[in-house]
Amino acid sequence: MIFRRYPTLRRVIVNTKTDKAFRGLLWRKAQGIMVLRNAELLRDNGTSLKVDGEVVIEVRDIDFIQVLP
């Protein structure tokens, strides 16, 4: 099964293949990228660091996505 729909305009945590994780609003997915707004970089110690602007992540670099309630 191929997953084609993305939970746009939902709060998500995006876990990348480089062991970085971002929490934010999934604004859009287009042309192999995902754009997060109001994003935070999640740190290993349980804290987060607010990221200015938008975060652009290539879909091929994503390990998995968690949709938040």
Side-chain angles (χ1 to χ4, degrees):
M1 181 173 124
I2 297 175
F3 184 68
R4 296 197 187 275
R5 290 188 65 202
Y6 282 81
T8 53
L9 302 179
R10 298 280 309 269
R11 299 274 308 157
V12 296
I13 296 177
V14 178
N15 295 275
T16 66
K17 293 177 181 175
T18 59
D19 293 326
K20 301 271 189 242
F22 296 91
R23 178 174 49 216
L25 178 69
L26 176 51
W27 187 249
R28 69 183 177 103
K29 185 231 179 243
Q31 301 297 323
I33 63 167
M34 293 181 65
V35 179
L36 297 179
R37 286 192 172 174
N38 300 321
E40 302 170 277
L41 173 64
L42 302 178
R43 296 180 172 174
D44 290 337
N45 64 4
T47 63
S48 63
L49 177 65
K50 185 144 176 70
V51 178
D52 290 335
E54 298 177 333
V55 173
V56 177
I57 305 170
E58 291 189 45
V59 171
R60 68 177 180 212
D61 294 333
I62 295 173
D63 197 13
F64 63 96
I65 300 170
Q66 298 166 268
V67 179
L68 301 174

